[in-house]
Amino acid sequence: MARGDLSSEEWAVLAPLLPAQPVRGGQWRDHRQVINGICWVKRTGSPWRDMPERYGPWKTAHQRFTRWADDGTWARMKAQVIALAKLNDDVDWNAQVDATIVRTHQHAAGAAKRGLTVAETQAREGIGRSRGGLTTKVHTLTDGRGRSLATLITPGQAADTRQLIPLLEQVSVARPGGIGRPRSRPESVTGDKAYSSRANRQALRGKRIRTTIPEPNDQIANRQRRGSRGGRPPAFDPDAYRHRNQVERGFNRRKHWRGLATRYDKLGTNYQATLDLIELLDWLRAVPDGHDPRDRT
């Protein structure tokens, strides 16, 4: 088995979640072989045509990846893997939020939509100009172990603070047996100063979510200047903030995949599917700190 291919344990989890063979027409090539080929392309950042022959025809892998990106199969599989983790009580609901910039390869920058300007296309596909080049920003809300509960992509120049509420609205983890409403509210959210806006704090209080977000100096000065009308300082847990590095570690794990660390996908739907695939594997493969990465939880 090549490095990065699905292990027998991982395949046992994923196999029941995959679409069934079509009732009419020819049989699909073996799902495990094709997914391993897709993983090889995304792990190495190589062109589809360079996929090794042991994974079958490259066109088959490319077509299946894009088909499942369009119909939401990768996103559904990720949601089901997280639901299985919840069933095993393996979700830490002390959430963390952050964002990272990825460089957009010139191949991806060529995306175009009929009837749209270049600026409109870049906004639609999550490509923008930031730090001297075309970039995409990946916004992620993770559990307490750095595994993604919700992910959004925006152009690279987009502000982090405006993505916190959309991320929270995206969280939906099915309960065991599918009975009852999915869980959508973490116990707490920890983030850096980029998420310290008044709107975010009010929204989190309305959802009864504990918040550990430091106040920027200008907000502290403004509150103190208003005296008693400025209100009390927001609650802050220094111990929780010290453990905020889990979201950073999650980004580091996922950026080992070159197809994520550098965006080669022209379409936003395909890059989102790349994230969904890599994040569902992160749920399957993440191990506690201090353990051998070859271990499985």
Side-chain angles (χ1 to χ4, degrees), residues 179-230:
I179 300 174
R181 291 181 298 177
R183 176 161 180 174
S184 59
R185 184 173 64 88
E187 295 176 5
S188 65
V189 171
T190 301
D192 59 23
K193 293 180 181 180
Y195 301 94
S196 64
S197 71
R198 180 179 299 179
N200 284 344
R201 294 186 187 276
Q202 289 177 344
L204 290 168
R205 281 197 300 270
K207 295 177 179 290
R208 294 178 295 172
I209 300 174
R210 296 195 313 274
T211 308
T212 300
I213 300 175
E215 268 190 303
N217 292 334
D218 59 338
Q219 292 183 10
I220 295 174
N222 183 56
R223 176 172 51 78
Q224 292 176 342
R225 184 171 55 252
R226 298 182 65 190
S228 60
R229 293 180 300 169

Side-chain angles (χ1 to χ4, degrees), residues 38 42 48 61-69 74 270 273-274:
I38 294 170
K42 298 301 180 180
W48 288 98
H62 176 260
Q63 290 172 355
R64 197 165 305 179
F65 172 77
T66 54
R67 181 187 300 119
W68 288 357
W74 298 114
N270 285 355
T274 298

Side-chain angles (χ1 to χ4, degrees), residues 10-266:
E10 293 162 357
W11 177 245
V13 175
L14 290 181
L17 310 180
L18 294 167
Q21 289 281 358
V23 176
R24 301 179 64 181
Q27 294 291 304
W28 279 344
R29 181 174 285 272
D30 179 65
H31 279 321
R32 184 173 182 179
Q33 180 189 29
V34 174
I35 293 175
N36 282 338
I38 294 170
C39 288
W40 184 91
V41 170
K42 298 301 180 180
R43 189 176 68 252
T44 63
S46 301
W48 288 98
R49 291 176 181 272
D50 292 348
M51 191 182 78
E53 293 182 358
R54 65 177 179 272
Y55 298 123
W58 68 267
K59 286 187 178 179
T60 298
H62 176 260
Q63 290 172 355
R64 197 165 305 179
F65 172 77
T66 54
R67 181 187 300 119
W68 288 357
D70 291 338
D71 65 18
T73 295
W74 298 114
R76 285 194 297 271
M77 289 173 60
K78 174 188 168 184
Q80 290 171 312
V81 167
I82 298 175
L84 289 173
K86 185 181 187 303
L87 179 63
N88 296 323
D89 197 25
D90 187 32
V91 179
D92 185 339
W93 289 100
N94 294 300
Q96 302 180 8
V97 62
D98 208 347
T100 188
I101 289 282
V102 296
R103 188 68 60 185
T104 300
H105 191 269
Q106 62 180 2
H107 173 77
K113 292 290 183 181
R114 183 174 297 178
L116 298 179
T117 65
V118 173
E120 290 171 337
T121 298
Q122 291 178 355
R124 175 172 178 165
E125 304 301 342
I127 299 175
R129 190 166 295 280
S130 173
R131 300 183 183 180
L134 292 176
T135 57
T136 292
K137 186 174 284 189
V138 179
H139 307 264
T140 302
L141 183 77
T142 71
D143 81 330
R145 289 179 54 195
R147 300 169 297 182
S148 173
L149 293 169
T151 297
L152 294 171
I153 61 171
T154 64
Q157 74 275 13
D160 295 357
T161 188
R162 295 186 178 182
Q163 305 307 318
L164 176 55
I165 305 307
L167 283 170
L168 285 169
E169 293 173 348
Q170 192 185 98
V171 175
S172 179
V173 180
R175 299 182 184 274
I179 300 174
R181 291 181 298 177
R183 176 161 180 174
S184 59
R185 184 173 64 88
E187 295 176 5
S188 65
V189 171
T190 301
D192 59 23
K193 293 180 181 180
Y195 301 94
S196 64
S197 71
R198 180 179 299 179
N200 284 344
R201 294 186 187 276
Q202 289 177 344
L204 290 168
R205 281 197 300 270
K207 295 177 179 290
R208 294 178 295 172
I209 300 174
R210 296 195 313 274
T211 308
T212 300
I213 300 175
E215 268 190 303
N217 292 334
D218 59 338
Q219 292 183 10
I220 295 174
N222 183 56
R223 176 172 51 78
Q224 292 176 342
R225 184 171 55 252
R226 298 182 65 190
S228 60
R229 293 180 300 169
R232 298 177 180 178
F236 183 75
D237 184 352
D239 185 61
Y241 195 74
R242 280 194 294 269
H243 291 87
R244 197 185 64 86
N245 60 5
Q246 290 296 332
V247 64
E248 301 289 352
R249 295 185 183 191
F251 278 134
N252 289 341
R253 287 195 304 270
R254 295 190 285 277
K255 279 194 170 183
H256 288 170
W257 296 69
R258 295 183 181 178
L260 185 154
T262 300
R263 176 175 170 175
Y264 298 95
D265 297 295
K266 287 185 178 181

